[in-house]
Amino acid sequence: MPPACVNGGGAATRVQLGVSAQLGQPVSIEGVARHALDCWRPRRGEALTVEDAAGRGFRARILEYDDAHAVLLPFEELERAPESPVRIEVYQALPQRERFELILQKLTEIGVARIVPFESSRSITQQERDVGQKKSHRWPEVVLKAAKQCRRGMIPELLAFHSWDAALYEAHHADLRFFFYEGSATWSLREALNGERPRRLALMVGPEGGFSADEFTEMRALDMLPVSLGPRILRTETAAIVGAAIVQHVLGDLY
Ligand code: SAH
């Protein structure tokens, strides 16, 4: 069963024009491209990032958008592809308060492909988190807004809140798997990335209280590498943001 995606994000949100785009020439879209456009919940007049048949990125304005059809006007060609060549997945032990929203926003800007909140022995559960104020319903909106604002060509996938086991199961499908660990006897991120060319890279980030010894053992048993982010203890949101940014710098498009 595919993992439950709560925001309709992922590759299906890339708006592909299907023709070779020319600046100032309107393109009418339908079918799959039209479906991708719907994922952005755009308004007429809004500008989005799209790709043409040659794989070039464009900014395009929505001239018409109604039930029957949609017409886009490419008005600027992008010098660089808006999406990273490396697929970064961040598995984040659910933190408290507004921290997770900050993480969602910043990871979207940094260009990760997938974000998965999960429960660990020292994290809070989504129920605990939602007591009083039900904030989790805002998460998809935070990701969508950030994706538009930073002009991404794709909305990152936000998966449903995962149990510890389900998060490990998902993450272990990646061809390179790290967990950020502040204890000793770990690899530095630079060493861990040295010479690697993963298609899919999973990063696990612990909660405010860190991973437990049992969790450490379980992740090691799944061949996940404990990786350090330097000599200082970072807050969980800092670890997620800094870790994703360094990976994007070494392997991706942030340089
Ligand atoms: N156990 C710690 C704090 C955990 S920090 C304590 O309370 O003393 C929260 C999470 O951020 C950790 O689980 C880890 O995933 C990550 N993290 C923070 N600082 C880190 C560092 N220097 N190296 C690697 N990971 C770090």
Side-chain angles (χ1 to χ4, degrees):
M1 216 176 61
C5 179
V6 296
N7 71 336
T13 62
R14 298 174 90 121
V15 181
Q16 307 200 315
L17 299 178
V19 295
S20 176
Q22 311 239 4
L23 295 183
Q25 293 246 333
V27 181
S28 179
I29 60 168
E30 50 197 34
V32 175
R34 172 59 200 259
H35 176 73
L37 187 66
D38 291 342
C39 299
W40 294 82
R41 292 195 267 118
R43 284 168 288 106
R44 192 194 297 201
E46 196 172 338
L48 291 178
T49 298
V50 302
E51 286 167 60
D52 81 345
R56 295 177 304 168
F58 288 87
R59 296 289 291 165
R61 196 164 300 287
I62 300 172
L63 296 184
E64 287 171 42
Y65 182 66
D66 55 39
D67 291 345
H69 65 319
V71 179
L72 299 177
L73 181 71
F75 62 87
E76 180 191 341
E77 183 171 349
L78 301 174
E79 273 173 39
R80 292 173 60 188
E83 287 302 317
S84 173
V86 55
R87 181 181 160 85
I88 303 171
E89 303 178 358
V90 176
Y91 294 78
Q92 171 71 54
L94 189 62
Q96 299 191 340
R97 291 190 309 241
E98 273 60 54
R99 286 184 190 165
F100 190 58
E101 285 177 20
L102 181 79
I103 290 169
L104 290 174
Q105 187 190 67
K106 299 309 168 205
L107 292 181
T108 300
E109 292 172 28
I110 291 166
V112 310
R114 169 186 274 188
I115 305 168
V116 187
F118 69 89
E119 183 176 5
S120 70
S121 61
R122 297 182 188 154
S123 75
I124 54 171
T125 64
Q126 188 165 351
Q127 286 79 6
E128 283 165 350
R129 150 92 203 225
D130 281 344
V131 167
Q133 305 160 282
K134 187 160 172 54
K135 288 272 179 66
S136 57
H137 66 275
R138 287 207 333 221
W139 296 347
E141 190 61 33
V142 172
V143 173
L144 178 64
K145 265 189 157 168
K148 284 186 178 181
Q149 181 275 330
C150 73
R151 306 187 174 188
R152 282 192 66 164
M154 182 189 114
I155 304 169
E157 286 175 288
L158 170 64
L159 299 198
F161 184 62
H162 274 47
S163 68
W164 167 253
D165 288 341
L168 285 189
Y169 179 79
E170 259 317 299
H172 110 276
H173 284 96
D175 41 340
L176 192 59
R177 303 171 293 265
F178 299 161
F179 63 98
F180 292 131
Y181 190 66
E182 66 282 10
S184 57
T186 57
W187 285 261
S188 73
L189 188 47
R190 191 200 297 249
E191 284 167 341
L193 290 172
N194 186 25
E196 296 285 355
R197 282 277 164 262
R199 271 186 321 106
R200 241 178 106 172
L201 169 65
L203 305 174
M204 305 271 298
V205 188
E208 285 91 342
F211 290 117
S212 70
D214 285 352
E215 287 166 347
F216 180 93
T217 309
E218 230 182 300
M219 288 188 285
R220 290 301 287 134
L222 287 171
D223 265 340
M224 295 188 171
L225 210 58
V227 169
S228 161
L229 289 169
R232 289 163 295 276
I233 303 290
L234 308 178
R235 282 181 180 245
T236 182
E237 68 274 28
T238 315
I241 294 165
V242 167
I246 295 174
V247 169
Q248 201 62 298
H249 175 66
V250 176
L251 300 178
D253 59 7
L254 196 163
Y255 48 81

